[in-house]
Amino acid sequence: MNERDDILLSAWLDGELAPAERKALEERLEREPELLARLEQFRELSAALDDDPALPAGFLERTGARFRAEHPPARKSRARWGWAGLAAAAILLAAIVLPREGEIRELTAPAVAQSENELSEQVAADPVPDDVQAEPELQPIEEKLLSKTREQDAGVGREERLDATKQKKEAEAVPPPAAPTAAAPRKRAPGAAKSADADRAMALERQNFRSLADAAPAAVEGTPLPGGDALAAERSWLIEDAVRLQELSGATTDVAHELLAPTGRVLLVRGTILECRGQWRSGTVVPTLVLAGGPTTRSCAFPVPPGDAAIEVVVEGARDE
Amino acid sequence: MRRHRERIPDSGVSPHEPAEEARLLERIRQGDAEAFDTICRREAPRLYRFALRLTGDVETAEELAQETLVKTLPKLGGFEGRSRLSTYLAGALSNLWKNRLRSKARSKVVDIARPDDATDPLERFSDAAPDPERALDATDRAGAIREAVGRLEPERRLALLLCEVEGMSYEAIAETTGVPIGTVRSRIARARGELRRLLAELWP
């Protein structure tokens, strides 16, 4: 009996032989008693290993207790919204934020620029189908916000908005997070009563924001952005738009922060959502939103702390400004 | 001629809907202990059996199975179900076990029998060196089997048990252990040959 025969017998036992190999071996087994005896030995081993020891008493209880100790129930946070919230937020981003169809406004800190370029190289230009170029139907509140955006786009009130942002920054009692993008104050909905709950929520939000900022320090800790003052001003304007999104709903606030916080980069897109899907990567799920907006394709990822989800927004057919 | 055995052994685990499994895993990711208990009841018996065969020790087996469940399940929210959850967990437990062996090998100061050509600490070290206490267990057939399996070279033992206990295909084992399918084939065959010889010694 040689090793080659052992390999064949073993694979036959496991049903892993190709048809021709199996046929040849079975013909040999018919005429070689030693080979058949060896096969029976292997088969007995399989039977011997096929016992079924019971779980130790209390195993499930001990394991459950350890899980409860190590994984307390998650509070609702920005990184744990559901798909519905993500899709709704993406719709709002797509429908409200950008003033012009087919446009991407993006500001990228140096630390993330490289990864963005790498991602961009992975996607190819892809003409947008005609049927995805239509203007999304807007809800009343969206129309209201869009009208503000159009004013800004026309250059009306932008300086005032930036001034107001600066003043609010200075007036904020709580110091802003380390990320430059965090410097923008959160606007409250008109007429909203300031309550203790709201304060606590705000404090919690800032805390979360800091933890997100900590995850990508190189990208957010005051790294000078390329593009000089003009780009910085544009960046503030974009932050203002994102902050306005926070007034709409919790889910929108979450996504607006997610988009802003981890990398210090703002990506605002306008287009029609083609698809919302999830991918399993390295132990986490990456939600991906695919939107149509122009003649080129871009994508970017927003890393968040371990254990939380990452967001990837893929804009298909969007055009660089 | 008796045909070869079925690829997937009966695990005693009732089939379940992938969608339901995905929902449970997502709940576990959010810290839902009841969902964790549900998956645990399904997966723990098979996983523990695999761990016990791998280590030959009830305490170590419980540690490994528990750690695998507690650490791995919360990371599987959105599990696509392309492979069986039990296969994924067995792979995770295998990695945990190999890491422990490597750590043990690195911390081992005294010389142990090592093939000259082995470079991987896992290849150089087996947790199955003859153990007087464990050898005492080999007074019945079950103890002899446990002892014999424990003396197998770790990589061969792992391949054999992934096949025999987990019912994984050679292709899945190759993917889990990161070696070519031909290597899986030879490892399993050699493990069987070695196991047969050891059992003849321990339980003649």
Side-chain angles (χ1 to χ4, degrees):
Chain A
M1 195 65 53
N2 58 39
E3 186 173 298
R4 169 71 183 161
D5 285 342
D6 271 359
I7 290 174
L8 288 172
L9 291 170
S10 180
W12 183 91
L13 194 65
D14 296 327
E16 295 277 356
L17 280 185
E21 282 181 311
R22 189 176 69 204
K23 184 171 183 295
L25 181 65
E26 288 175 355
E27 287 174 358
R28 284 185 61 198
L29 285 168
E30 294 289 344
R31 61 176 188 270
E32 296 182 35
E34 286 184 0
L35 200 63
L36 186 60
R38 184 68 167 174
L39 178 65
E40 287 304 317
Q41 289 176 354
F42 281 0
R43 212 195 304 264
E44 286 172 10
L45 286 176
S46 291
L49 289 169
D50 194 24
D51 65 347
D52 195 7
L55 281 176
F59 176 91
L60 293 175
E61 291 76 10
R62 288 190 293 277
T63 306
R66 182 173 168 189
F67 175 82
R68 285 163 176 80
E70 294 187 16
H71 301 280
R75 58 177 168 67
K76 290 188 181 301
S77 70
R78 62 180 45 82
R80 300 190 188 286
W81 24 252
W83 288 100
L86 186 62
I91 290 169
L92 288 169
L93 275 176
I96 299 171
V97 178
L98 266 199
R100 289 183 294 273
E101 186 171 358
E103 175 184 59
I104 290 182
R105 292 177 183 272
E106 179 184 5
L107 293 163
T108 308
V112 297
Q114 184 178 356
S115 62
E116 170 70 9
N117 290 336
E118 289 169 355
L119 283 166
S120 299
E121 290 170 1
Q122 297 171 6
V123 292
D126 186 18
V128 180
D130 292 336
D131 58 355
V132 298
Q133 297 285 358
E135 185 81 10
E137 185 175 343
L138 301 180
Q139 299 299 315
I141 189 168
E142 296 167 345
E143 288 179 347
K144 180 181 173 187
L145 288 170
L146 184 58
S147 68
K148 288 185 182 177
T149 305
R150 283 171 177 150
E151 287 177 4
Q152 297 159 19
D153 196 40
V156 178
R158 178 174 296 189
E159 291 306 320
E160 289 82 347
R161 286 168 55 81
L162 291 174
D163 288 344
T165 302
K166 186 177 179 182
Q167 289 168 9
K168 284 191 176 183
K169 284 180 194 171
E170 293 169 354
E172 275 291 314
V174 180
T181 53
R186 175 188 171 115
K187 279 189 177 179
R188 292 186 185 281
K194 184 175 181 179
S195 66
D197 285 345
D199 286 342
R200 279 195 292 273
M202 180 74 80
L204 181 61
E205 200 163 29
R206 287 201 174 93
Q207 183 62 41
N208 291 337
F209 191 94
R210 288 191 185 95
S211 68
L212 287 169
D214 289 343
V220 298
E221 285 181 355
T223 308
L225 290 170
D229 291 341
L231 194 54
E234 180 75 353
R235 186 162 180 266
S236 296
W237 174 74
L238 292 169
I239 291 169
E240 275 290 290
D241 276 326
V243 169
R244 283 191 299 111
L245 284 176
Q246 296 170 14
E247 299 174 1
L248 299 178
S249 71
T252 304
T253 298
D254 286 345
V255 172
H257 266 200
E258 289 288 353
L259 291 174
L260 285 165
T263 61
R265 174 174 51 182
V266 180
L267 173 71
L268 302 176
V269 296
R270 178 173 188 157
T272 303
I273 292 180
L274 298 178
E275 191 180 352
C276 180
R277 59 176 182 251
Q279 290 176 296
W280 174 255
R281 287 184 197 165
S282 305
T284 190
V285 176
V286 180
T288 299
L289 306 176
V290 180
L291 303 99
T296 62
T297 300
R298 298 290 300 272
S299 70
C300 59
F302 299 85
V304 294
D308 287 337
I311 303 174
E312 183 172 45
V313 177
V314 179
V315 184
E316 291 187 345
R319 171 175 54 82
D320 272 337
E321 198 173 19
Chain B
M1 174 74 59
R2 288 160 62 189
R3 299 294 304 186
H4 50 71
R5 65 186 174 84
E6 290 296 319
R7 158 56 48 208
I8 305 297
D10 178 16
S11 66
V13 178
S14 58
H16 46 271
E17 287 291 326
E20 184 207 353
E21 186 173 81
R23 280 194 294 274
L24 286 168
L25 290 170
E26 180 57 28
R27 284 170 54 194
I28 291 172
R29 192 181 72 81
Q30 296 173 1
D32 186 328
E34 287 185 10
F36 179 83
D37 291 342
T38 301
I39 291 283
C40 243
R41 280 193 294 274
R42 284 180 186 170
E43 301 295 336
R46 178 201 287 260
L47 194 65
Y48 173 75
R49 182 172 63 149
F50 175 58
L52 185 58
R53 280 279 176 242
L54 202 56
T55 64
D57 178 76
V58 290
E59 288 183 7
T60 309
E62 174 163 345
E63 276 179 31
L64 279 175
Q66 193 179 94
E67 178 121 358
T68 301
L69 290 164
V70 171
K71 300 291 187 193
T72 306
L73 287 176
K75 297 176 183 173
L76 294 181
F79 187 68
E80 291 179 350
R82 282 181 301 202
S83 61
R84 290 186 304 159
L85 178 58
S86 60
T87 300
Y88 191 91
L89 290 173
L93 189 143
S94 302
N95 289 333
L96 193 58
W97 174 69
K98 286 196 286 188
N99 288 339
R100 285 191 178 195
L101 282 190
R102 289 195 176 101
S103 174
K104 199 173 171 182
R106 279 194 291 268
S107 64
K108 197 81 174 177
V109 177
V110 298
D111 286 339
I112 55 177
R114 300 173 181 178
D116 292 339
D117 58 346
T119 54
D120 188 331
L122 186 58
E123 297 286 348
R124 296 198 308 264
F125 181 78
S126 167
D127 61 346
D131 179 342
E133 289 186 16
R134 192 159 65 178
L136 292 177
D137 292 338
T139 53
D140 57 18
R141 182 167 171 75
I145 293 168
R146 187 163 60 246
E147 174 67 16
V149 170
R151 289 189 191 182
L152 293 176
E153 187 276 321
E155 293 288 13
R156 292 178 190 172
R157 189 188 334 167
L158 178 61
L160 178 67
L161 295 177
L162 286 172
C163 175
E164 290 280 6
V165 179
E166 286 297 317
M168 287 169 61
S169 68
Y170 285 9
E171 184 181 4
I173 295 170
E175 190 176 334
T176 298
T177 56
V179 297
I181 202 166
T183 304
V184 171
R185 211 181 195 199
S186 61
R187 279 181 180 174
I188 291 174
R190 285 171 182 162
R192 285 189 167 121
E194 199 178 334
L195 193 57
R196 174 65 198 164
R197 181 184 60 76
L198 287 166
L199 270 179
E201 288 176 10
L202 292 166
W203 191 253

